[in-house]
């Protein structure tokens, strides 16, 4: 009998609108100097009133629809009261009693690769807080904190899942799938490292022999996909150890500590805040008509799952390859562009998966024009270059968007089918390696590879490998 892991996520997604949620300040807080994108509304000056950003609502609804939620025609805003210096109003505007959307799901793969539904309990809109910068030296006690209100009032949605996630790696895949979807929708950068996608993970462990569950622990401050998995693995083992010792971890909130790669206690249950939620009197309810909601549904682009299916059907890609290509919109579009120019979808897919994705940096576009990748595939088809040369020149060609035809000419990389040259090299190898030849004669045909390798080295990968193979076998047989 083992232990079963139960995980539910609470995720914040920053919406990439031009302006903030309730005022016309720029929501692009990253490039700005601290406290320059602020106004009386987002710094809570007396008498300032919020006005809801339409685009933020549209982005929130689109995300909810993409996550198969029912979008409510009636939702409303509430105040969540707490004090912290990055929250000038002393409350956050959120949706508590009447969320924007409910009852959705996202399909992910479980650890065996079988699709499973993770139910989404609710999605609501809320505003982000400012940012604190803690400075100074805690030993000399000369500490102080700075606050930047640029992020204050940037629109967020919070997505709350049911506890349907069964392993830490499923939790990571959930987050990755969500990132893929918000990027396809264009509603968020989905960038966890920059805080545009943040997640609090709740975990408990059930002892299957008794059916009893541990208390639930919440891990906050997880800021990368890798750490979602790492933090939950750490927490899972910690809870299992405590259960084995006949104890319980107790309900608490922990934070992921990057330095020690462990979670550390932030607060116990008894310190739980009381937020004193009540309806926001300064904003009317958010009323959406069915038509408005359906119009937004029509605006949804083809999403990664549909695209994957289409690639399997239309291009006969292998399921795994199709899912890798479809995961990132710019990769998928690149793939389609290349196929349009060249055909042979599986060949294009192989090159994208093995070479393009290896070179591609997470946050950058693909520098290599589809035309240049296709030129290279054609050079391979016509045997003008060997696969080895193609792979050798690929990183540079990719980064600088070089035309491979010119590159190959400039550097003299054309494949050679000069039979005399190849024969001479093979003869030399045979002369220098009588013992290896003897092995061949004794039936060890695997040594052919040794002689082929020799010629390829001597020609710096330019010899036509099929021809080298033929010549090696012929001359070995004659030897
Ligand atoms: P609370 O009201 O205490 O915040 P919720 O029911 O709102 O609890 O759930 C908050 C999050 O915790 C949700 O993401 C949910 O999936 C998750 N959760 C609920 N129960 C469990 C559990 N037993 N183990 C792990 N996560 C859970
Ligand atoms: Zn403002
Ligand atoms: Mg809750």
């Amino acid at each position: 009998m083992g232990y079963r892991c139960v995980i539910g996520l609470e995720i914040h997604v920053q919406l990439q609108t031009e302006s903030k949620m309730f005022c016309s300040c720029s929501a692009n807080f990253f490039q700005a100097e601290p406290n320059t994108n602020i106004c009386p509304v987002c710094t809570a000056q007396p008498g300032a009133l919020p006005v809801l950003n339409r685009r933020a609502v549209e982005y929130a609804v689109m995300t909810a629809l993409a996550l198969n939620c029912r979008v409510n025609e009636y939702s409303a805003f509430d105040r969540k009261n707490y004090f912290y210096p990055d929250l000038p109003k002393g409350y956050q505007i959120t949706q508590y009693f009447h969320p924007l959307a409910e009852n959705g799901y996202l399909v992910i793969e479980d650890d065996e690769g079988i699709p499973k539904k993770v139910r989404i309990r609710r999605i609501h809109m809320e505003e982000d807080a400012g940012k604190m910068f803690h400075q100074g030296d805690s030993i000399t006690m000369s500490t102080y904190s700075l606050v930047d209100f640029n992020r204050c009032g940037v629109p967020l949605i919070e997505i709350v899942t049911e506890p349907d996630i069964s392993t830490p790696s499923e939790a990571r895949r959930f987050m990755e799938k969500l990132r893929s979807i918000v990027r396809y929708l264009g509603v968020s950068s989905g960038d966890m490292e920059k805080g545009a996608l943040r997640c609090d993970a709740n975990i408990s462990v059930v002892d299957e022999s008794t059916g009893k569950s541990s208390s639930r622990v919440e891990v906050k401050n997880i800021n990368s996909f890798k750490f979602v998995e790492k933090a939950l693995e750490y927490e899972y083992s910690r809870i299992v150890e405590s259960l084995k010792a006949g104890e319980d971890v107790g309900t608490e909130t922990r934070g992921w500590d990057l330095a020690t790669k462990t979670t550390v206690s932030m607060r116990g249950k008894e310190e739980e805040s009381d937020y004193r939620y009540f309806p926001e009197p300064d904003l009317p309810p958010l009323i959406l008509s069915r038509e408005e909601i359906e119009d937004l549904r029509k605006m949804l682009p083809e999403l990664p799952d549909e695209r994957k299916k289409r690639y399997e059907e239309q291009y006969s890609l292998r399921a795994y390859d199709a899912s890798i290509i479809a995961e990132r919109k710019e990769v998928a579009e690149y793939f389609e562009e290349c196929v349009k120019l060249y055909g042979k979808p599986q060949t294009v897919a192989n090159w994208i998966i093995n070479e393009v994705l290896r070179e591609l940096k997470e946050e950058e576009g693909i520098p290599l024009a589809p035309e240049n990748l296709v030129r290279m595939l054609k050079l391979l088809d016509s045997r003008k270059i060997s696969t080895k040369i193609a792979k050798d020149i690929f990183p540079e060609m990719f980064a600088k968007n070089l035309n491979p035809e010119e590159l190959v000419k400039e550097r003299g990389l054309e494949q050679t089918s000069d039979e005399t040259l190849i024969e001479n090299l093979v003869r030399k190898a045979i002369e220098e390696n009588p013992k290896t030849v003897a092995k061949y004669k004794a039936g060890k045909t695997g040594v052919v590879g040794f002689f082929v390798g020799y010629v390829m080295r001597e020609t710096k990968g330019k010899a036509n490998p099929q021809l080298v193979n033929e010549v090696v076998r012929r001359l070995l047989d004659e030897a």
Side-chain angles (χ1 to χ4, degrees), residues 29-151:
F29 57 91
F30 258 112
Q31 276 101 331
E33 286 293 307
N35 297 308
T36 53
N37 292 346
I38 55 173
C39 76
V41 173
C42 55
T43 56
Q45 304 307 307
L49 288 171
V51 177
L52 182 58
N53 180 335
R54 169 180 290 275
R55 181 53 58 80
V57 175
E58 290 171 357
Y59 281 2
V61 170
M62 283 167 71
T63 311
L65 292 172
L67 296 176
N68 308 292
C69 289
R70 189 190 75 225
V71 174
N72 293 322
E73 287 165 66
Y74 177 98
S75 69
F77 293 94
D78 302 294
R79 290 186 180 181
K80 177 180 182 176
N81 298 280
Y82 66 95
F83 175 77
Y84 200 65
D86 65 5
L87 190 71
K89 291 198 291 288
Y91 59 85
Q92 177 191 29
I93 302 180
T94 179
Q95 296 186 306
Y96 184 69
F97 298 107
H98 302 284
L100 179 76
E102 290 164 280
N103 294 329
Y105 64 87
L106 178 61
V107 178
I108 59 162
E109 284 183 359
D110 70 11
D111 291 352
E112 266 73 58
I114 317 247
K116 75 174 260 186
K117 269 187 189 178
V118 174
R119 289 168 300 158
I120 288 159
R121 183 183 298 170
R122 56 185 274 152
I123 298 182
H124 61 258
M125 301 182 70
E126 59 188 32
E127 56 178 342
D128 212 341
K131 258 186 138 163
M132 301 286 293
F133 297 88
H134 303 293
Q135 315 272 336
D137 179 348
S138 60
I139 295 167
T140 61
M141 302 293 281
S142 61
T143 60
Y144 60 99
S145 294
L146 298 170
V147 62
D148 175 10
F149 292 128
N150 283 349
R151 200 180 66 179

Side-chain angles (χ1 to χ4, degrees), residues 6-10 121 160-163 202-204 216 269:
V6 179
I7 297 168
L9 302 175
E10 294 167 285
R121 183 183 298 170
V160 182
T161 78
E162 294 294 342
N202 299 272
I203 174 170
S204 60
R216 193 215 304 176
K269 188 72 181 174

Side-chain angles (χ1 to χ4, degrees), residues 146 159 167 172 196 253 268 272 290 292 330 336 363 408:
L146 298 170
I159 301 170
T167 65
R172 178 177 48 77
T253 300
E272 266 302 80
R290 266 299 126 202
E292 283 175 292
E330 76 264 40
E336 292 192 33
E363 300 313 327
V408 163

